[in-house]
Amino acid sequence: MDYSRVLKRSVSAALTGAALLCSTAAFAGEVTVWCWDPNFNVAIMKEAAARYTAKHPETTFNIVDFAKTDVEQKLQTGLASGMTDTLPDIVLIEDYGAQKYLQSFPGSFAALTDKIDYSGFAKYKVDLMTLEGQVYGVPFDSGVTGLYYRKDYLEQAGYKAADMENLTWDRFIEIGKDVKAKTGHEMMALDTNDGGLIRIMMQSAGQWYFNADGSLNITGNAALKAALETQARIVKEGVAKPTSGWNDGINALTSGDVASVLMGVWITGTVKSQADQSGKWALTAIPKLSIDGATAASNLGGSSWYVLDASAEKDEAIDFLNEIYAKDLDFYQKILTERGAVGSLLGARTGEAYQKADDFFGGQTVWQNFSDWLVQVPAVNYGIFTNELDTAVTANFPALVKGTSVDDVLKAIESQAAGQIQ
């Protein structure tokens, strides 16, 4: 017997076994995830975890459900103190706040540029998680916007579906005035203490409160100027029902008080919550501003997943996000069907769930519409002070309604914002 050959085989087998053992051990940890909203983000993450553990039973997940403000506070505290052992492996961050964390805490999040194929995601989502050429997150749900409207109210006022296509904001206001006069219903609800509609209009024209280099973009921002003027017209011409707070606005929608709602795709479930309104709703693209660069696509909200660079389970967490959120097209069909979640992985758009007609909306393929608009959303730099700018905008907006010139209002917004972000 050739004992040397047997010995070589034994050593080789032992080394192979050891390699397999090390590989298994590297992916045998518990991945902790922080997120909010048990019926949406938490439920979807649990579905993703179940799919991953079906193929990787050695991995376990600890999905912690906090309130959104608690996630943000705990993350901020942990990063600021440097006590990374108190932080999760994966955390959900709202897109508006992504740059704030990336720029304020450099090196805290794992760079995933070479780990994920970002060409498969909506560009605007990738851009907002990119800093100095490195991409740090895995895109999740989109806040792509649409205009939902009551067909029955519009028909009472003499309008057909064709009249709601290719709208400008000027035309929307004209129709709104007519609908109010003929049906008694305001065209929409509006809380002027919330900057959401301004942001939707501004991003639809490819602008934000900041330039690409992070500097303020206020007094020379044509899209912001047009958005402020448009919202002021909506208020002054009685097109909107004044509301205060989120619940008041939702009540105006579900009770049938208003004829339309312009919001992110995530509001679809709320629109459909009133079974007796089935067949009375339709969906169309949002109106366009009458300025250069304007589009009929925008975004409101949305969030993405980030891996903490100090995580002991970093490689496992990245592998999980890559396998499920960056590749599993069936996963996106399921979360769309069960949770109404429109993901930002473009390949999912060809799935059956996206092409299914919705009886509530008169047989429209609403998910397909949203997925088509998703790729048209202009990419902008959300910067690190979006919340502060929102405060400045809403604080100075009443002066515009009372007659102050829009240019003076823009100057006041810029002055207040400059003081807040120093």
Side-chain angles (χ1 to χ4, degrees), residues 24-48:
T24 301
F27 289 90
E30 180 180 73
V31 176
T32 297
V33 183
W34 286 0
C35 52
W36 61 87
D37 193 344
N39 294 316
F40 192 77
N41 299 313
V42 176
I44 288 169
M45 179 50 83
K46 287 181 178 179
E47 169 63 25

Side-chain angles (χ1 to χ4, degrees), residues 192-203:
T192 56
N193 290 313
D194 183 285
L197 184 59
I198 296 290
R199 279 185 269 121
I200 289 172
M201 293 183 192
M202 185 167 51
Q203 184 167 358

Side-chain angles (χ1 to χ4, degrees), residues 32 34 74-79 83-89 308:
T32 297
W34 286 0
K74 290 176 183 295
L75 180 61
Q76 176 81 20
T77 300
L79 292 174
M83 298 178 64
T84 55
D85 58 338
T86 66
L87 297 175
D89 304 297
L308 277 297

Side-chain angles (χ1 to χ4, degrees), residues 27-155:
F27 289 90
E30 180 180 73
V31 176
T32 297
V33 183
W34 286 0
C35 52
W36 61 87
D37 193 344
N39 294 316
F40 192 77
N41 299 313
V42 176
I44 288 169
M45 179 50 83
K46 287 181 178 179
E47 169 63 25
R51 285 172 173 262
Y52 188 78
T53 54
K55 296 180 179 179
H56 306 274
E58 68 280 1
T59 300
T60 58
F61 287 85
N62 175 28
I63 300 169
V64 185
D65 175 17
F66 288 125
K68 178 173 175 288
T69 53
D70 288 341
V71 171
E72 293 168 344
Q73 182 179 1
K74 290 176 183 295
L75 180 61
Q76 176 81 20
T77 300
L79 292 174
S81 67
M83 298 178 64
T84 55
D85 58 338
T86 66
L87 297 175
D89 304 297
I90 299 172
V91 64
L92 185 66
I93 296 177
E94 186 178 39
D95 291 338
Y96 293 128
Q99 286 293 322
K100 172 184 176 182
Y101 288 106
L102 294 177
Q103 293 185 37
S104 300
F105 303 102
S108 295
F109 300 94
L112 307 180
T113 313
D114 300 324
K115 307 290 186 180
I116 306 290
D117 179 8
Y118 287 103
S119 66
F121 289 97
K123 183 179 183 299
Y124 85 96
K125 290 280 285 190
V126 178
D127 284 1
L128 61 87
M129 57 180 60
T130 301
L131 180 64
E132 297 179 354
Q134 292 291 327
V135 191
Y136 289 90
V138 177
F140 176 35
D141 68 311
S142 169
V144 56
T145 52
L147 174 63
Y148 307 75
Y149 66 91
R150 287 286 295 261
K151 290 188 296 184
D152 51 344
Y153 294 170
L154 271 293
E155 288 169 359

